[in-house]
Amino acid sequence: MRHFNLFYAAARNIERNKTRGLLVISCLSAILVPFISALALLEGVRLQAGISVESGADIYLTMDMYGRNGMVPAALAGEIKKIDGVVKAVPRVAGRIYVEGMPAVLLGLPAGSFPPSLSFVKGGLPDEDGIVVGRGIARKLGLDTGSRLSIGTRIQAIIDHIPYVQKKVYTVSGIFDAESSIWTSNLILMDVEEAVSLFEMEGFVTDIAVFVKENEIGQVVEDIQRMNSYFRIQTKAIARKAVVTGFNRKGGLFTAMYVVAFATAIPLILMISGYGFSERKKEIGILKVTGWQTYEVLEMVFFENMILSLIAASLSFILSYVWVRFFNAPFIGGIFIAGAEQMPAFTVPALFSWMQLFLSFFFSIVLTLSGSIYSSWKTAVIPPAEAVK
Amino acid sequence: MKEIVRCEGIWKIYNEGKPYEVRALSDLCLTISRGSFTIIGGPSGSGKTTLISIMGTIERPSRGGISIDGKNIAGFSDVALSSLRRKRIGFVFQDYNLIPGLCAWENVSVPLVPEGIPIRERKDRATGLLETLGLAERAEHSPEEMSGGERQRVAIARALVNNPDIVILDEPTSSIDKESVSGLLDIMKGLKAQGRTIIVSTHEERLLGNADIVYELIKGRLTGHADNNGMHQ
């Protein structure tokens, strides 16, 4: 009952000192909202990256060209298919293009290799001269099934000092729903032969996606490498590692930046926590005069900070949710999703969890306690006659 | 009567050893009997408040011993002194020191909070005391809405809520009107009748005649005392 009484007294103190409470909550929220949003985005992007890697091919094969990824002969897919343990070898053309000034990813696949999970909002698989586009890019460019879209990749001529790109016109045969994925929202899918023609790389593809029987990746990699030492092989394990490393680096960078921001915020929090300290000093003196023990005063102060931190963390969590889910994380999305501002509209992936709420609460209570517990203790141990002066 | 408080060679020096050192009390010795009504008199700045603060255990003497019921409390820890105050001492400040924003009954029940007494019981005890002191209808009012006399009675109720046997009042008549002074006197007489020891610092003439003993302080020194047998130097 004693703890409940002290908790109740703490709640009454917050109610009595509304201005101080509001200031502390506002300051904490200003720090916590970006923090929670960032954590949620980081987790969301990491999850999607993981899903993409896991649902992709086991091996991606390219050629080494001056230390970079180079084209591979399309016919190589047939040779790879003959290797023991290989289930499927799909020649692909993947490249970054600009469509009406907007960056997009063009992926050319053989007609029978379109992902079965592709969910069409409208229309269906492309026929000759047909393409399917992601919902984000369709919305941004106002495309519908039957719309015509011209795509060009290379400057063909310079006339009167002006470079001209020769474009080819395609018909949108379908729009697929991939709003939840940042990597497919701006994707344009077409037949691989058409993509080869567009990029003018007859006889070649950008890579071959190799699907392998379970537990046979190692052997298949060895066999491919033996075929030609200039092959560059990227396995699922390497991709997975790259994703983890990349996000850890981004997360680490953000955390480091945030530690600096936190450090900057500490004096502010301390100042606000100390707001009205002369009144607080007198009140602690009164409590001591009436027989309160120092640890009882500190317990009450702890409860006060706990309540304020809980409110600030919960409020920040809700605000972050609104910021990310309803407003699509403006300002902060671009930190975690490269080129997010230039991309067509897509829903930023985010994963909210109890851990973020707990972390926010933990940070809040550490900050508020550091701003109040020592000064309260110092006041509580001086003779009460001095404290009430 | 058996003694309850004994001060032996009490010194209180503020900023000791510094150029602006202040000697508030010098080598002061006195005893207070259980159940008595004692007044510490003297002009402003004579050290009355310092002395009753030391007797109320909210201030420590620089030197000398102070005993309550024969136990020297000068070396008591912070915890022990807080326990002593909680169980045995009620203190009423000159400016009452009520907590703003808390209503009268909440202010009165402040000492009961860490006792673990449920809120309903705390409210009952506090409002009962306020009723005794004629403030039943003001129980839900905050100090800001009360007169000086009412605030003082709330402060007295707070000092009494733990049922202490020593009640100390610092300059209780300094901020109240004449009618309130006679009301206060009645309260103090009532407390004395209950067997409590009353210690009051004041220079209010009207209270002097009702005290069992009056100690006179000048510049931190005891210059004399008067009891029912007359004046002593």
Side-chain angles (χ1 to χ4, degrees):
Chain A
M1 198 62 196
R2 188 177 69 88
H3 302 297
F4 177 79
N5 281 356
L6 292 171
F7 183 85
Y8 183 78
R12 283 287 284 131
N13 282 348
I14 293 170
E15 199 190 338
R16 287 190 301 116
N17 301 296
K18 287 190 189 74
T19 315
R20 179 183 167 271
L22 282 173
L23 273 171
V24 171
I25 290 169
S26 307
C27 274
L28 285 173
S29 300
I31 300 168
L32 291 174
V33 170
F35 180 65
I36 297 172
S37 306
L39 288 180
L41 284 170
L42 195 64
E43 286 306 310
V45 176
R46 196 201 301 263
L47 182 74
Q48 281 215 356
I51 290 169
S52 293
V53 168
E54 296 309 322
S55 61
D58 298 302
I59 296 167
Y60 289 95
L61 178 67
T62 57
M63 290 290 284
D64 185 278
M65 193 169 77
Y66 319 122
R68 295 164 61 188
N69 284 342
M71 298 183 292
V72 284
L76 190 64
E79 296 305 314
I80 299 291
K81 178 77 180 68
K82 290 176 191 162
I83 295 173
D84 268 356
V86 173
V87 177
K88 200 163 60 169
V90 181
R92 307 184 330 153
V93 172
R96 220 178 150 95
I97 58 167
Y98 280 85
V99 184
E100 294 185 18
M102 183 185 299
V105 175
L106 191 143
L107 184 62
L109 293 170
S113 301
F114 278 74
S117 58
L118 211 60
S119 138
F120 284 96
V121 179
K122 273 184 175 178
L125 290 170
D127 46 20
E128 202 180 334
D129 287 347
I131 52 170
V132 289
V133 295
R135 199 177 182 181
I137 201 164
R139 190 189 297 159
K140 194 85 176 175
L141 298 178
L143 300 174
D144 207 339
T145 47
S147 296
R148 313 273 281 169
L149 186 67
S150 51
I151 304 172
T153 56
R154 273 178 52 176
I155 294 167
Q156 300 284 349
I158 298 173
I159 303 168
D160 287 340
H161 311 290
I162 299 169
Y164 282 90
V165 174
Q166 190 182 341
K167 292 182 177 177
K168 192 172 176 189
V169 179
Y170 293 92
T171 307
V172 176
S173 62
I175 296 168
F176 61 91
D177 192 4
E179 264 205 302
S180 62
S181 172
I182 50 177
W183 291 284
T184 50
S185 178
N186 63 342
L187 192 67
I188 296 172
L189 275 172
M190 60 170 60
D191 183 82
V192 68
E193 292 303 327
E194 195 53 49
V196 165
S197 159
L198 184 70
F199 284 106
E200 294 178 69
M201 45 195 282
E202 270 66 30
F204 287 88
V205 288
T206 53
D207 57 67
I208 295 170
V210 185
F211 295 83
V212 179
K213 282 181 192 161
E214 220 178 323
N215 303 325
E216 292 193 32
I217 293 179
Q219 189 53 51
V220 171
V221 166
E222 269 183 35
D223 291 345
I224 294 173
Q225 202 70 78
R226 210 175 294 126
M227 285 170 82
N228 192 314
S229 60
Y230 282 94
F231 285 155
R232 297 185 105 188
I233 298 165
Q234 182 171 288
T235 62
K236 198 177 262 188
I238 295 171
R240 207 180 285 137
K241 200 173 167 187
V243 165
V244 172
T245 311
F247 283 108
N248 282 352
R249 192 174 298 148
K250 258 187 179 169
L253 199 68
F254 184 83
T255 310
M257 271 165 26
Y258 226 81
V259 167
V260 176
F262 256 89
T264 320
I266 286 172
L268 181 73
I269 295 283
L270 293 183
M271 195 182 79
I272 289 162
S273 301
Y275 174 81
F277 186 70
S278 59
E279 289 85 5
R280 166 45 62 99
K281 186 181 172 196
K282 194 168 183 176
E283 284 179 19
I284 290 174
I286 295 168
L287 299 180
K288 290 287 289 182
V289 169
T290 60
W292 282 49
Q293 296 289 358
T294 299
Y295 62 83
E296 289 163 346
V297 172
L298 296 183
E299 187 176 336
M300 186 187 69
V301 172
F302 173 80
F303 281 140
E304 261 182 64
N305 289 310
M306 196 182 88
I307 296 169
L308 284 174
S309 301
L310 208 56
I311 295 171
S314 309
L315 183 72
S316 304
F317 192 83
I318 293 166
L319 288 176
S320 299
Y321 193 88
V322 170
W323 188 15
V324 172
R325 286 270 189 260
F326 297 114
F327 294 98
N328 221 22
F331 313 117
I332 198 168
I335 298 176
F336 297 96
I337 304 156
E341 292 82 6
Q342 288 85 44
M343 278 193 203
F346 65 92
T347 305
V348 295
L351 197 66
F352 286 90
S353 68
W354 291 108
M355 183 50 87
Q356 291 142 11
L357 188 65
F358 171 77
L359 271 177
S360 306
F361 171 70
F362 177 76
F363 276 128
S364 302
I365 203 152
V366 167
L367 274 177
T368 52
L369 279 179
S370 63
S372 59
I373 209 87
Y374 175 69
S375 54
S376 301
W377 172 79
K378 223 173 150 189
T379 306
V381 294
I382 60 171
E386 264 179 60
V388 296
K389 271 177 192 164
Chain B
M1 278 193 283
K2 198 180 166 194
E3 76 174 33
I4 189 165
V5 181
R6 171 181 284 271
C7 298
E8 285 178 299
I10 294 271
W11 290 76
K12 182 67 190 178
I13 304 165
Y14 293 105
N15 307 312
E16 195 167 3
K18 292 179 181 158
Y20 42 90
E21 170 180 299
V22 177
R23 290 188 177 199
L25 297 174
S26 305
D27 196 21
L28 196 140
C29 299
L30 60 81
T31 57
I32 289 171
S33 304
R34 180 182 298 278
S36 67
F37 179 3
T38 304
I39 285 181
I40 312 291
S44 294
S46 58
K48 301 189 294 294
T49 299
T50 304
L51 177 59
I52 62 163
S53 295
I54 289 171
M55 289 196 282
T57 73
I58 62 171
E59 184 76 277
R60 287 179 188 270
S62 303
R63 283 192 282 281
I66 174 158
S67 313
I68 292 183
D69 275 339
K71 276 186 197 156
N72 189 350
I73 60 161
F76 267 29
S77 66
D78 178 57
V79 173
L81 286 179
S82 288
S83 295
L84 185 69
R85 282 195 295 274
R86 183 183 291 188
K87 288 175 191 151
R88 302 201 53 193
I89 300 168
F91 203 100
V92 181
F93 288 94
Q94 183 178 356
D95 50 2
Y96 322 127
N97 277 336
L98 298 176
I99 297 177
L102 291 184
C103 68
W105 79 260
E106 285 177 313
N107 261 294
V108 173
S109 72
V110 160
L112 303 177
V113 170
E115 296 267 282
I117 298 169
I119 189 162
R120 191 179 290 272
E121 196 183 327
R122 279 192 279 138
K123 189 173 182 181
D124 287 347
R125 272 169 75 170
T127 47
L129 263 171
L130 288 169
E131 209 175 313
T132 314
L133 295 167
L135 281 177
E137 75 288 357
R138 306 293 267 164
E140 298 287 345
H141 289 250
S142 68
E144 297 81 23
E145 300 163 344
M146 294 181 181
S147 69
E150 287 173 330
R151 281 186 222 178
Q152 186 179 57
R153 278 182 281 162
V154 174
I156 292 172
R158 184 178 66 191
L160 296 176
V161 77
N162 266 341
N163 203 22
D165 55 351
I166 303 169
V167 181
I168 300 171
L169 297 95
D170 185 19
E171 299 277 11
T173 59
S174 62
S175 329
I176 55 172
D177 56 30
K178 273 185 181 176
E179 289 74 38
S180 300
V181 171
S182 53
L184 173 69
L185 198 54
D186 290 340
I187 292 169
M188 288 195 286
K189 280 178 183 170
L191 294 176
K192 184 176 181 295
Q194 290 166 5
R196 299 180 208 265
T197 305
I198 316 294
I199 305 169
V200 179
S201 82
T202 186
H203 41 63
E204 171 66 46
E205 295 288 328
R206 278 172 296 172
L207 295 186
L208 298 179
N210 292 281
D212 295 313
I213 186 160
V214 178
Y215 287 102
E216 185 72 13
L217 275 181
I218 292 176
K219 289 185 179 172
R221 287 183 182 277
L222 201 57
T223 55
H225 70 273
D227 56 22
N228 298 333
N229 302 319
M231 182 74 193
H232 309 273
Q233 289 299 313

